[in-house]
Amino acid sequence: MKTACVAVEKTAYHFDKLFSYIVPAEMEETLYSGCRVLVPFGNGNRRRLGVVFSFDDSSELLKLKPISEQLDKEPPLGGEMLLLAKWIKETCYCTLFESAKLLLPTGINLRMVKSYSLVNPLTIEGVECEAGLSDTERFILRCIIKSEGTAEHERLMQISPAEDTEDAIEHLIRGGYISSSSEAVRKVGDATVKFVRLKMSEEQLGAVRLTEKQQDVVNLLLDVQSASLKELCYFSGVTQNVVGRLVKNGVAEYFENEVYRNPYGNIAASASPEKIELSESQQAVYKNLLEEYKSGKFETSLLFGVTGSGKTSVFMRLIDDVVAEGKSVIVMVPEIALTPQTLEKFHTRYGDIVAVFHSALSIGQRLDEWKRVKNGDAKIAIGTRSAVFAPFSDLGLIIIDEEQEYTYKSESSPRYHARDVARFRCGYHKALLVLCSATPSLESYYNAKVLGKYKFFELPDRYGSAILPQIDVVDISQRHSSDGIVSRELREALEYNLQNGYQSILLHNRRGYNTFASCRACKKVLMCENCSVSMTYHSDNNRLMCHYCGHSAPMTAVCPYCGEEQVRYAGLGTQRVMQELESLFPTASILRMDADSTMTKFAHEEKLGGFGNGDYDIMVGTQMVAKGLDFERVTLAGVLMADLELYQDDFRSFERAFSLLTQVVGRSGRGQHKGRAIIQTMTPENPVIAMSATQDYPKFFESEIQVRKAMLYPPFSSICLIGFVGESEEDVKRSAWSFFDNLKAHISFDYGDIPVRVLGPSMAAIGRVNRKYRYKLIVKCKNSKRFRQFMQLLMCEFGRDKRNAKVTAYIDINPENV
């Protein structure tokens, strides 16, 4: 009899492994590696999801349990993906099931749903006659009867007001009133957006008692008629539960608003794609990259070129050749904001063989795109970080544009970097990996120029007649706060553009209206009640908001700490900047691009499309306006406060600042018109500003790499961050020190051969997020197989220690924010 090796969901890291199960006779011919199954797990034999990784023959079958159910007819994960899942587990310190789940689109993932059914027919009246039942038990039975004899566990927990609901359910099961069952439910979306509208008239609403928050929602709906659930919660400052109670009480109702399964179906492929004309330097780079691809070996190349040098044209010519040979291609961009322009180029050139992967698509759309790749209907995948998992079986090329961007690194488990996954996949397929940027990461540039691990190709000049813009650095250190944020030089440049029909892009990397509020009387800053961060004032909804947990509160002039009416608001966000621009240029059409203004579906496409069509004169926004955008009539780029990026508490702050300033400057003068860029700063003497103004990356690299070497930062070491999270600060702190002491003990005895430098433990820079405290331990190391074994050992010992039961530990290799 055959046995299957299965990765099971919800296993703790310290006992995670492949568990053996008997393959029932009826599954022997149909069950394959990569299929999902239901298996009994633990002493209670509760059914859990699992993924079959391999098969084996076992001589101890009497000790094994059989697989309960096969969930896939065809395996969604192939051999490459199963190997990738094992690699992710080893390098990202997660469970096997977590890594396997990561490789599948959200729509195809399954979840276990527990439900309860009546054992014998029972009526509402019959429930009242049953003796020995508590009020909670009667309530549960009535709910199950109203749900036609079956109700989900999650639903019962939501609607039951009693604290003893779990105990009541168990008592009803033991008493033979109800039975429980679990089944796997697929998370397939139906490509709709949930909207809310009122069911009652204004006259009917007058007879209904509403809480203050409910009244805010009702007032908003009376004004706008209907709104998406997400927008309604944002503008009224409530949670979804408040809206849910209004729906439950019949005051409002949900309805599904139509969205399209193919959001880019309106982009038609060109009957005769435009021929790409390459300059002499572009042609040379293209030929070299083509030779690398034709070699049939795994290669990594870095394409370094100034902004506007035509890197996209080079890799599109390369894609033409790869697709012509029947191979598949993945093209990655760091921001959803870059996707619309990239997609339009690719859809126009390649038609429906292009698939799209990014988080703004609905669950159903993402599932459909994944299927098209899996079935071979698509040959090119374009998207953000998740595109690296596109299930191609014949990869020839992966391109990572703006490869230095932090968005390629996942901040939640599994904490992978898309660049590392791309290297794994290209190694498996003997494919070519091309990293592209005008400001590559120091690690990539070092690997290419110093170590020679990557092939290096350069485009030193802008394409065609375009030249780099004129750069002016404006000192605003002597300006008074009442003068506003737009300097005289920038105001005059904006006026010139408005008078001559040109467009302008302004960068201000802080969203909201005011970035903090403080009390003049007691000197305290208004902080989030859940996090150790200040609240940000948003004028759109007139509320103070936390950008970490989403908590919000009404704008107030009264200090919540001392009661004095002396709260003042300071710090400028994009909403405040836009108000100042509207005041300075009342006839101008101004577009704001930030996370708040682009939360609705297709917002990026619509707003950037409008800007490209000339509907707006000025675009102001956060970093999403700084990268990859190409508009011919943009002749002015402005940075309103360069110092926001320069002086952050992170060793990468100068690198990020140089990259962001260089990128935003590069948005100007990309066509036939001469460009200009204005950088406003409080510290014009900072050399990073001077180097970014001249786009002198080699000079920046030479200065920054010396600091990295002296401080033993990447690329001269890896940074391993061990994080600790829990609701009790005392528990979190104790667990962090316990981990540290255990690390020192092992280093002293059996792992003394590993070179490490350890900093900590200490509280994280933001010590409390969403009511959970955070501590960290930082290790400078060589990320070798031996070191990973050491960390795995420490994590397993941490998990087995019952004193750490209320604290979660995680490991993040080379995090983007230390």
Side-chain angles (χ1 to χ4, degrees), residues 191-299:
T192 59
V193 175
K194 184 178 284 188
F195 270 63
V196 184
R197 62 189 170 205
L198 291 173
K199 284 183 70 176
M200 294 184 175
S201 65
E202 288 193 56
E203 293 76 15
Q204 292 173 315
L205 287 169
V208 179
R209 293 184 61 184
L210 300 174
T211 66
E212 184 178 346
K213 290 183 177 181
Q214 289 173 338
Q215 189 64 56
D216 290 340
V217 174
V218 168
N219 290 340
L220 184 57
L221 287 175
L222 286 171
D223 288 337
V224 300
Q225 306 304 317
S226 66
S228 72
L229 181 58
K230 187 173 183 179
E231 290 175 312
L232 190 61
C233 292
Y234 175 75
F235 284 104
S236 58
V238 303
T239 64
Q240 293 186 8
N241 289 334
V242 176
V243 181
R245 285 193 290 271
L246 286 173
V247 172
K248 179 185 173 184
N249 295 333
V251 176
E253 65 179 355
Y254 293 128
F255 67 98
E256 302 296 330
N257 200 34
E258 182 184 8
V259 294
Y260 300 99
R261 296 294 287 193
N262 182 0
Y264 305 102
N266 60 332
I267 305 176
S270 174
S272 54
E274 182 181 349
K275 185 179 179 181
I276 298 175
E277 299 289 344
L278 299 181
S279 66
E280 187 176 335
S281 59
Q282 286 176 315
Q283 184 68 22
V285 170
Y286 158 69
K287 282 189 174 181
N288 286 326
L289 288 173
L290 186 59
E291 285 180 14
E292 296 294 312
Y293 165 72
K294 292 280 190 179
S295 70
K297 299 184 295 183
F298 164 51
E299 298 284 359

Side-chain angles (χ1 to χ4, degrees), residues 287-462:
K287 282 189 174 181
N288 286 326
L289 288 173
L290 186 59
E291 285 180 14
E292 296 294 312
Y293 165 72
K294 292 280 190 179
S295 70
K297 299 184 295 183
F298 164 51
E299 298 284 359
T300 301
S301 299
L302 175 63
L303 175 52
F304 168 65
V306 298
T307 55
S309 58
K311 296 183 288 294
T312 303
S313 296
V314 172
F315 64 65
M316 286 188 82
R317 277 288 301 272
L318 188 61
I319 290 169
D320 288 345
D321 294 312
V322 175
V323 172
E325 287 195 355
K327 294 283 189 178
S328 301
V329 179
I330 295 174
V331 180
M332 299 174 63
V333 293
E335 296 262 6
I336 295 174
L338 301 185
T339 311
Q341 280 200 326
T342 306
L343 270 179
E344 186 170 4
K345 292 178 182 177
F346 275 80
H347 270 300
T348 302
R349 188 169 187 81
Y350 302 107
D352 58 7
I353 67 167
V354 176
V356 187
F357 293 87
H358 61 72
S359 59
L361 299 182
S362 73
I363 292 174
Q365 288 165 346
R366 277 178 273 176
L367 176 59
D368 287 351
E369 295 295 79
W370 182 87
K371 285 179 179 177
R372 292 204 306 120
V373 170
K374 181 80 171 170
N375 298 335
D377 297 328
K379 300 298 291 181
I380 302 172
I382 299 175
T384 48
R385 186 174 63 224
S386 61
V388 76
F389 300 118
F392 289 118
S393 59
D394 53 357
L395 262 178
L397 173 67
I398 297 180
I399 295 168
I400 304 182
D401 199 16
E402 308 293 355
E403 65 88 26
Q404 79 285 354
E405 287 298 327
Y406 71 92
T407 51
Y408 286 126
K409 177 69 189 288
S410 172
E411 294 183 346
S412 59
S413 183
R415 292 174 170 82
Y416 69 94
H417 198 296
R419 184 173 54 227
D420 298 330
V421 176
R423 284 181 56 81
F424 179 95
R425 297 202 65 190
C426 286
Y428 181 88
H429 289 275
K430 302 294 189 292
L432 172 64
L433 172 61
V434 180
L435 310 176
C436 305
S437 182
T439 55
S441 64
L442 261 74
E443 292 89 334
S444 293
Y445 197 82
Y446 184 79
N447 282 329
K449 289 289 284 183
V450 180
L451 299 183
K453 287 184 178 179
Y454 301 166
K455 299 295 177 65
F456 182 80
F457 304 107
E458 183 176 5
L459 293 172
D461 302 308
R462 282 197 158 184

